[in-house]
């Protein structure tokens, strides 16, 4: 099949507003927009201004009314507990409506914030949709974050209420959520009025009288009362959710997603980019706490009338490296979306793909990888094992859907290994040098997107327009800075090579080294520190902390390093995955005092490096090399 990509991309370029107005016809609107795009609204303009809609209506009610009531909407497959639950669109509507009634009774109305701090259970998706139904704004916080991170998000978003659970289940470990939740509320300045707690059978928890509500009891009561809660019309430009993502400091950025543009962009992507049709099964093996979970576990597949899978487990160890193939064959998955790290983990356990051949994967058509750079070796291994196209595509929490992709639905273009393919409609991607000038094809530079960003991208940061401008729009006027470095080749294929800021990507999780440094600096024995991301075979990158101790510290260095590891785990959470702390005498700096993190990373990763001309004392780099070599790194 010849690809329609070039024709479609050109049609967007010729008439962006016409293109998105056309895509918007797939969505039900309560009121049509006054303007497809209003350049004078918001920070850089707003999409579908004046329109009224409801995301829950489009993801749930519309399908019940339109003939999909008995089709499966959501399958919760827990490889950790060995259980499955299935919900048709009708059942999904009942669950969401009942929970919306509970939220409403607890005072949640349009525009209120609700934090959802939950493991991978179906109720996490119900909570998101129940908020959408009421026009409330949800903010899902990933379960691997600790109390302090949750507290930061509570103080920034000021939720009326929190929906949480008694526990999460990591392989071999029950994660008690309740102490983390209570701890976070204790630390936070803002106190949510109520908490709704889902009691899981694996580990229950005590409820605080007057504050905590039992999820199951409250929902059962709402169902018994036959409560009907209609979808509340909201403006297309009203926020659907705020999702916090790592910035360059410990203060995370609240990415705002609106209702209208988000629905249009996701719906368009399901058919044209992912190539799935209504009624088919789509599986994003991620977590609802990440943007992939928002867009492609919950909203995208449901808006498109697909069946989505919410998977609680890991690619390996729950119980083995065949879990993904079991899920694909059992639920007849047409397309899987996951991070390359998951495939590296599977490949390590099952290099010959023996588990793959135990399952019937005949209905499986495409594997999509994103979240970090997909190394060609992993892609080729996956292609050989699965016999289907493997598509690397690139996007960010900020964009909510792919910036670049190989659009399966429009017809695939030739694959170039190492490239997440070509820009999608809506994205005029350019590569600029540090002075803001375009660079020739094939030259590495700053990857930017010409404004305006398309529907579905962040219009701003939560309560922080100026931070949005400073973080993304100021450095290259007229463009959105992706903070990725890369190049575009002569065929317009993108190559995304590295971040230009201090964000690192650990097992597909986006983490701020600056945030970790802030925590390490709190240790009483630490004078100075620097955290860098170093190469890791499975996770892509892992953090490595360098610390300089206060003069006069006589305590055992190994003990201090272990305390620092524990401190980061306690403050940020296990997801930070900081296991390596190296004590050194001094940090390498430029004469103006800037820490040479880039050079340290190159030494650790055994990449070629040149002595920085501005270095304060070149001998320090020998000390760093020796300290790393002692740990078996950089040899
Ligand atoms: N709640 C509590 N703890 C969590 C958690 C959660 N939701 N998710 C992860 N953690 C913990 C893990 O248990 C681990 O703890 P440990 O240090 O005690 O072992 C730690 O956080 C680091 O987790 P992770 O980086 O995920 O490593 P892992 O060894 O548990 O698993 C992979 C490695 C590759 C199997 C796993 O990262 C994976 O499946 N990745 C898929 C990619 C993905 O989901 N990306 C999201 C964007 S698409
Ligand atoms: P997140 O916001 O967590 O989705 O992380 C976004 C970042 O992950 C991007 O800015 C990139 O640095 C990286 N990333 C995501 N997808 C890819 C990809 N396909 N190739 C290279 N890097 C990627």
């Amino acid at each position: 099949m010849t690809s329609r990509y070039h024709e479609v991309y050109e049609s967007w370029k010729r008439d962006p507003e016409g293109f998105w107005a056309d895509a918007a016809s797939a969505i039900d609107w309560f009121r049509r927009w006054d303007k497809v795009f209003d350049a004078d609204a918001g920070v850089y303009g707003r999409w579908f201004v004046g329109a009224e809609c409801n995301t829950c209506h489009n993801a749930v009610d519309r399908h019940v009314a339109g003939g999909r009531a008995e089709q499966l909407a959501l399958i919760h497959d827990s490889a950790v507990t060995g259980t499955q639950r299935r919900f048709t669109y009708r059942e999904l509507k009942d669950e969401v409506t009942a929970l919306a009634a509970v939220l409403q009774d607890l005072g949640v109305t349009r525009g209120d914030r609700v934090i959802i701090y939950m493991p991978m259970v179906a109720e996490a998706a119900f909570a998101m949709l129940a908020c959408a139904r009421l026009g409330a704004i949800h903010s899902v916080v990933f379960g691997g974050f600790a109390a302090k991170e949750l507290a930061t998000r509570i103080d920034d978003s000021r939720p009326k209420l929190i929906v949480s659970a008694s526990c999460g289940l990591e392989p071999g470990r029950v994660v008690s959520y309740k102490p983390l939740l209570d701890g976070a509320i204790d630390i936070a300045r803002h106190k949510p009025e109520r908490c709704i707690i889902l009691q899981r059978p694996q580990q229950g928890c005590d409820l605080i009288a007057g504050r905590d509500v039992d999820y199951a009891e409250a929902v059962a009561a709402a169902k018994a009362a036959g409560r009907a809660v209609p979808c509340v019309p909201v403006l297309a430009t009203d926020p659907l959710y705020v999702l916090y993502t790592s910035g360059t400091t410990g203060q995370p950025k609240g990415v705002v997603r609106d209702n209208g543009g988000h629905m249009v962009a996701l719906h368009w992507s399901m058919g044209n980019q992912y190539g799935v049709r209504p009624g088919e099964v789509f599986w994003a093996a991620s977590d609802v706490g990440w943007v992939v979970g928002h867009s492609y576990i919950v909203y995208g597949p449901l808006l498109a009338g697909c069946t989505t899978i919410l998977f609680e487990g890991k690619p390996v160890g729950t119980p083995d490296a065949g879990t993904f193939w079991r899920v694909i064959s059992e639920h007849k998955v047409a397309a899987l979306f996951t991070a390359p790290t998951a495939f590296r983990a599977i490949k390590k356990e099952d290099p010959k793909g023996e588990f793959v051949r135990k399952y019937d994967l005949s209905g499986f058509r495409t594997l999509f990888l994103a979240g970090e750079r997909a190394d060609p070796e992993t892609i080729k291994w996956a292609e050989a094992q699965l016999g289907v196209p493997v598509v690397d595509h690139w996007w960010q929490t900020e964009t909510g859907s792919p910036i670049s992709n190989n659009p399966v639905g429009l017809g695939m273009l030739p694959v170039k290994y190492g490239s997440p393919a070509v820009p999608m409609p809506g994205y005029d991607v350019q590569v600029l040098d540090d002075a803001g000038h375009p660079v020739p094809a094939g030259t590495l530079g700053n990857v930017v997107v010409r404004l305006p960003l398309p529907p579905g991208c962040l219009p701003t940061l939560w309560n922080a327009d100026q931070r949005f401008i400073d973080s993304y729009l100021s450095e290259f006027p007229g463009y959105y800075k992706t903070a990725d470095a890369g190049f575009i080749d002569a065929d317009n294929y993108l190559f995304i090579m590295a971040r230009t800021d201090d964000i690192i990507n650990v097992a597909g999780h986006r983490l701020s080294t600056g945030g970790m440094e802030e925590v390490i600096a709190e240790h009483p024995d630490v004078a100075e520190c620097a955290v860098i991301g170093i190469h890791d075979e499975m996770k892509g990158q892992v953090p490595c902390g360098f610390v300089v101790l206060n003069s006069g510290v006589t305590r055992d260095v190994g003990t201090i390093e272990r305390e620092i590891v524990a401190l980061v785990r306690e403050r940020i959470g296990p997801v930070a995955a900081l296991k390596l702390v190296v004590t050194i005498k001094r940090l390498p700096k430029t004469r103006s005092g800037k820490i040479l993190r880039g050079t340290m990373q190159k030494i650790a990763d055994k990449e070629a490096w040149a002595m920085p001309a501005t270095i304060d004392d070149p001998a320090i780099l020998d000390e760093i090399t020796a300290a790393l070599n002692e740990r078996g790194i950089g040899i």
Side-chain angles (χ1 to χ4, degrees):
M1 168 183 170
T2 36
S3 178
R4 291 177 50 231
Y5 164 73
H6 292 101
E7 169 205 325
V8 171
Y9 189 77
E10 283 311 311
S11 77
W12 162 73
K13 258 191 142 167
R14 266 196 314 277
D15 178 13
E17 291 186 28
F19 181 90
W20 291 117
D22 192 34
S25 65
I27 300 298
D28 276 0
W29 302 90
F30 298 149
R31 181 184 187 276
R32 206 178 147 80
W33 49 88
D34 300 319
K35 285 185 177 176
V36 179
F37 181 71
D38 182 351
D40 297 325
V43 179
Y44 64 84
R46 297 300 304 264
W47 292 96
F48 304 109
V49 173
E52 287 181 15
C53 56
N54 183 285
T55 297
C56 182
H57 165 81
N58 277 283
V60 183
D61 297 46
R62 181 170 68 136
H63 301 308
V64 175
R68 298 193 181 279
E70 306 315 323
Q71 180 199 308
L72 281 181
L74 186 144
I75 300 170
H76 177 241
D77 185 310
S78 172
V80 189
T81 60
T83 59
Q84 293 182 11
R85 290 163 78 201
R86 292 172 161 77
F87 301 87
T88 62
Y89 271 99
R90 185 194 305 284
E91 289 163 340
L92 179 63
K93 185 179 169 198
D94 290 347
E95 294 293 337
V96 170
T97 306
L99 182 58
V102 175
L103 291 171
Q104 202 173 49
D105 290 350
L106 294 174
V108 174
T109 58
R110 179 178 166 188
D112 284 340
R113 274 80 58 211
V114 172
I115 280 189
I116 300 171
Y117 181 60
M118 294 188 100
M120 286 293 283
V121 288
E123 286 78 2
F126 302 160
M128 293 164 78
L129 292 161
C131 289
R133 191 170 194 87
L134 296 175
I137 302 165
H138 63 68
S139 186
V140 183
V141 178
F142 177 61
F145 282 124
K148 181 146 181 303
E149 290 291 318
L150 178 56
T152 307
R153 288 153 174 81
I154 292 174
D155 279 334
D156 198 68
S157 64
R158 304 178 65 78
K160 182 163 254 177
L161 180 147
I162 298 183
V163 187
S164 189
S166 55
C167 69
L169 303 168
E170 284 294 290
R173 179 163 66 97
V174 176
V175 183
S176 307
Y177 272 51
K178 194 58 183 354
L180 297 170
L181 174 69
D182 292 344
I185 294 175
D186 272 351
I187 305 168
R189 287 184 306 280
H190 172 82
K191 308 290 178 196
E193 288 164 26
R194 310 298 289 262
C195 296
I196 302 177
I197 310 290
L198 176 77
Q199 296 278 17
R200 298 193 76 186
Q202 293 77 16
Q203 187 190 76
C205 64
D206 291 335
L207 302 185
I208 297 177
R211 189 198 75 182
D212 296 343
V213 174
D214 182 283
Y215 184 111
E217 282 175 15
V219 163
K223 281 185 187 165
R227 296 283 300 278
V229 180
C231 293
V232 174
V234 295
L235 292 176
T237 47
D238 280 344
L240 169 69
Y241 69 75
V242 178
L243 177 59
Y244 288 89
T245 190
S246 300
T248 48
T249 65
Q251 180 68 29
K253 298 192 277 200
V255 168
V256 175
R257 190 86 56 217
D258 67 13
N259 276 274
H262 178 240
M263 285 195 279
V264 174
L266 288 188
H267 191 281
W268 193 87
S269 73
M270 288 303 295
N272 296 290
Q273 299 194 40
Y274 293 99
V276 288
R277 294 178 288 273
E280 292 192 318
V281 184
F282 187 85
W283 177 27
S286 178
D287 189 288
V288 286
W290 306 118
V291 70
V292 177
H294 282 63
S295 294
Y296 294 111
I297 295 176
V298 181
Y299 291 112
L302 296 179
L303 287 167
C306 293
T307 301
T308 189
I309 295 185
L310 199 138
F311 173 73
E312 184 178 40
K314 303 265 173 179
V316 293
T318 57
D320 54 38
T323 301
F324 273 25
W325 325 133
R326 196 257 313 150
V327 172
I328 291 174
S329 68
E330 208 167 318
H331 304 306
K332 305 196 167 33
V333 172
L336 166 66
F337 176 166
T338 190
T341 189
F343 267 75
R344 288 196 296 269
I346 294 170
K347 179 171 158 237
K348 189 162 169 248
E349 296 264 310
D350 183 22
K352 296 198 183 117
E354 280 159 14
F355 278 110
V356 183
R357 280 171 280 287
K358 289 189 183 163
Y359 296 94
D360 172 14
L361 304 183
S362 54
F364 184 53
R365 288 202 304 267
T366 328
L367 170 65
F368 292 90
L369 298 177
E372 55 171 326
R373 188 161 193 274
D375 50 295
E377 205 192 318
T378 301
I379 295 184
K380 286 177 190 168
W381 182 83
E383 278 175 345
Q385 297 304 329
L386 300 171
V388 299
V390 178
V391 177
D392 178 13
H393 63 319
W394 167 59
W395 52 299
Q396 309 185 310
T397 304
E398 288 84 346
T399 65
S401 67
I403 309 171
S404 78
N405 202 345
N406 198 330
V408 173
L410 297 177
M412 268 189 84
L413 299 165
V415 171
K416 291 198 188 194
Y417 294 106
S419 165
V422 292
M424 289 296 96
Y427 294 96
D428 178 354
V429 183
Q430 306 281 328
V431 179
L432 306 179
D433 65 18
D434 288 347
H437 303 122
V439 299
T443 308
L444 194 70
N446 300 286
V447 185
V448 297
V449 178
R450 194 188 297 278
L451 293 174
L453 291 170
C457 287
L458 80 172
T460 189
L461 293 174
W462 179 250
N463 280 341
D465 283 351
Q466 194 55 47
R467 190 175 181 201
F468 173 63
I469 294 166
D470 295 344
S471 308
Y472 300 103
L473 308 184
S474 298
E475 197 169 335
F476 303 106
Y479 295 95
Y480 163 83
K481 179 178 82 168
T482 65
D484 278 319
F487 62 91
I488 301 178
D489 76 3
D491 300 322
N492 216 26
Y493 277 61
L494 281 148
F495 289 78
I496 303 299
M497 308 309 288
R499 291 283 301 195
T500 58
D501 55 12
D502 71 351
I503 300 290
I504 57 171
N505 212 308
V506 180
H509 307 140
R510 174 169 160 179
L511 299 170
S512 161
T513 54
M516 288 187 223
E517 288 175 6
E518 283 174 25
V519 173
I520 297 175
E522 284 176 33
H523 190 286
D525 292 336
V526 171
E528 273 193 299
C529 66
V531 175
I532 57 168
I534 63 175
H535 178 74
D536 180 81
E537 270 303 310
M538 190 168 81
K539 296 193 176 187
Q541 278 184 309
V542 286
C544 169
F546 291 92
V547 294
V548 177
L549 301 182
N550 288 316
S551 56
V553 171
T554 51
R555 298 175 61 225
D556 174 53
V557 168
T559 306
I560 296 172
E561 290 173 355
R562 282 191 292 280
E563 285 170 2
I564 291 169
V565 167
L567 188 66
V568 170
R569 192 177 171 94
E570 182 206 309
R571 292 293 169 83
I572 299 179
V575 68
L578 176 75
K579 309 260 163 150
L580 181 65
V581 174
V582 182
T583 305
I584 49 174
K585 279 195 282 201
R586 34 198 195 149
L587 286 167
K589 293 183 187 167
T590 62
R591 281 190 283 276
S592 60
K594 206 165 170 279
I595 298 171
L596 292 162
R597 292 183 178 77
T599 312
M600 292 160 84
Q601 180 253 315
K602 287 196 168 74
I603 293 173
D605 288 349
K606 275 194 359 192
E607 286 172 22
W609 57 277
M611 184 64 71
T614 55
I615 191 165
D616 185 26
D617 181 354
I620 304 178
L621 292 179
D622 294 333
E623 294 166 15
I624 300 280
T625 309
L628 283 169
N629 289 355
E630 233 175 79
R631 307 289 179 101
I633 300 165
I635 302 174

